[in-house]
Amino acid sequence: MKAAIVREAGRAPVYGDFAEPVPSVGEVRVTVTAAATSHVVKGRASGKHYSSHGQFPFVVGIDGVGRLDDGRRVYFVVPKAPFGSMAEYAVVSPAHCIAMPDDIDDITAAAIANPGMSSWAAFTERAQLKAGETVLINGATGTAGRLAVQIAKHLGASKVIATGRNIDALRSLAAIGADVTIPLVENDAALEESFKQQFAAGVDVVIDYLWGRSAERLLIAAAKFSRDAVPLRFVQIGSSSGADITLPSAVLRSSAIELVGSGIGSISVDGLVQAVGKLLRATTPAGFTVAAKPVPLSDVERAWPEDDSARRTVFTMNAAMS
């Protein structure tokens, strides 16, 4: 079969022939129609993601959309290694397949599943978001962050605060539910003053896609200005601004900050699958939007280096079905 193949660590996938997977007892075969890139997919391809298995060669991709042999259209996740989702066929556990709603097309589903799941799972599984609470999304201008704004409001947040480095993209978030926007400026004093106003007014949940300096400033401001003994659930999802921070120990001793992560390992695969199912069923009724760029899988070598945080690249196999 044709597939996007990673032959060694640090090398981009190449388009070529790979052995077709054969399902074992308790597995099903998917004829893949669409699979999207993501930070996780690129990290695993490079061998740098914490969930990388380190075995080569392998077919890249951790999720996608396609049809089972009986014709049912499904979203699937975690195909059996070394067969990833960016190929003509994948083999998965039936428990890792979700029946696709009729009101969402393959390209949209492939594009929205991973970034939408990141906040849906964080809000529901890790933060236990309650209706009427205030949410701050650190790094809200990329695809995942924009979806997090929409999903927070859908799940009942009464106020959504969004931060970001792209000023024009930040301004556009008001149209999809952001009540307050905070530019991530270089001046620490100005940034702390902006954070102070929000934490003093009350923030219940922080969803962090950036880590790095902005997360440091957020945690320090939260410790200084949040209400005493009132829990603040800080959920770490991504590290676009850096893998490490310097966190004074007094931040945790002097506050009721609950610092947790959300991702593969902190949430079970079954939990992530359930989150995607709820997201896909809500996408059309809730009007969630995601920008996507379909690209034939045969163009993977050309398209792989492209990195547009505002629009997801979706590789199409066979004929993507709507």
Side-chain angles (χ1 to χ4, degrees):
M1 66 175 180
K2 296 298 184 182
I5 307 161
V6 177
R7 301 199 184 278
E8 59 184 274
R11 298 292 295 273
V14 297
Y15 183 69
D17 293 307
F18 202 83
E20 186 175 322
V22 178
S24 301
V25 175
E27 297 175 333
V28 292
R29 186 178 76 155
V30 181
T31 300
V32 185
T33 56
T37 58
S38 66
H39 290 302
V40 175
V41 169
K42 288 197 170 185
R44 284 168 67 103
S46 70
K48 296 179 180 178
H49 194 265
Y50 67 85
S51 67
S52 300
H53 51 66
Q55 298 176 356
F56 301 91
F58 68 93
V59 177
V60 73
I62 61 169
D63 66 340
V65 177
R67 290 186 181 272
L68 301 179
D69 288 344
D70 63 10
R72 285 180 293 164
R73 197 166 63 107
V74 296
Y75 166 83
F76 67 93
V77 65
V78 194
K80 180 172 69 174
F83 308 100
S85 59
M86 293 184 183
E88 292 181 286
Y89 302 100
V91 165
V92 298
S93 163
H96 296 165
C97 293
I98 300 167
M100 285 275 291
D102 292 336
D103 58 10
I104 186 171
D105 64 87
D106 290 10
I107 301 297
T108 300
I112 205 170
N114 183 278
M117 173 273 294
S118 70
S119 60
W120 191 291
F123 285 135
T124 60
E125 295 280 332
R126 303 298 278 161
Q128 301 291 313
L129 178 66
K130 303 176 184 65
E133 291 189 316
T134 294
V135 169
L136 189 153
I137 299 164
N138 191 37
T141 55
T143 300
R146 290 181 66 87
L147 283 166
V149 171
Q150 301 170 67
I151 290 168
K153 279 298 180 78
H154 174 73
L155 293 175
S158 61
K159 179 180 179 182
V160 174
I161 305 156
T163 77
R165 293 166 290 190
N166 184 320
I167 302 302
D168 290 336
L170 195 61
R171 291 193 188 103
S172 73
L173 296 177
I176 58 172
D179 300 288
V180 176
T181 57
I182 299 175
L184 295 177
V185 296
E186 293 298 323
N187 185 308
D188 281 354
L191 190 58
E192 182 171 286
E193 181 61 29
S194 295
F195 289 160
K196 173 183 178 180
Q197 295 174 21
Q198 301 308 319
F199 285 118
V203 175
D204 301 291
V205 174
V206 174
I207 300 292
D208 172 49
Y209 284 101
L210 300 181
W211 208 228
R213 173 179 162 273
S214 63
E216 286 182 10
R217 305 317 305 174
L218 270 172
L219 286 161
I220 291 169
K224 284 183 178 180
F225 306 119
S226 293
R227 295 160 290 182
D228 287 347
V230 177
L232 167 68
R233 289 101 75 198
F234 190 109
V235 186
Q236 212 296 302
I237 301 177
S239 53
S240 296
S241 291
D244 303 298
I245 67 170
T246 299
L247 183 64
S249 60
V251 166
L252 298 181
R253 293 198 308 272
S254 65
S255 69
I257 295 172
E258 300 170 358
L259 180 59
V260 300
S262 184
I264 299 170
S266 58
I267 302 176
S268 69
V269 173
D270 289 344
L272 295 174
V273 170
Q274 291 173 18
V276 175
K278 293 174 182 176
L279 165 74
L280 293 178
R281 289 189 290 274
T283 291
T284 300
F288 298 153
T289 59
V290 61
K293 178 176 66 175
V295 176
L297 186 65
S298 56
D299 285 347
V300 65
E301 294 167 57
R302 175 192 59 79
W304 188 259
E306 297 176 0
D307 187 16
D308 184 352
S309 63
R311 185 172 58 168
R312 298 206 72 205
T313 298
V314 179
F315 291 107
T316 57
M317 285 64 72
N318 303 298
M321 304 170 188
S322 58

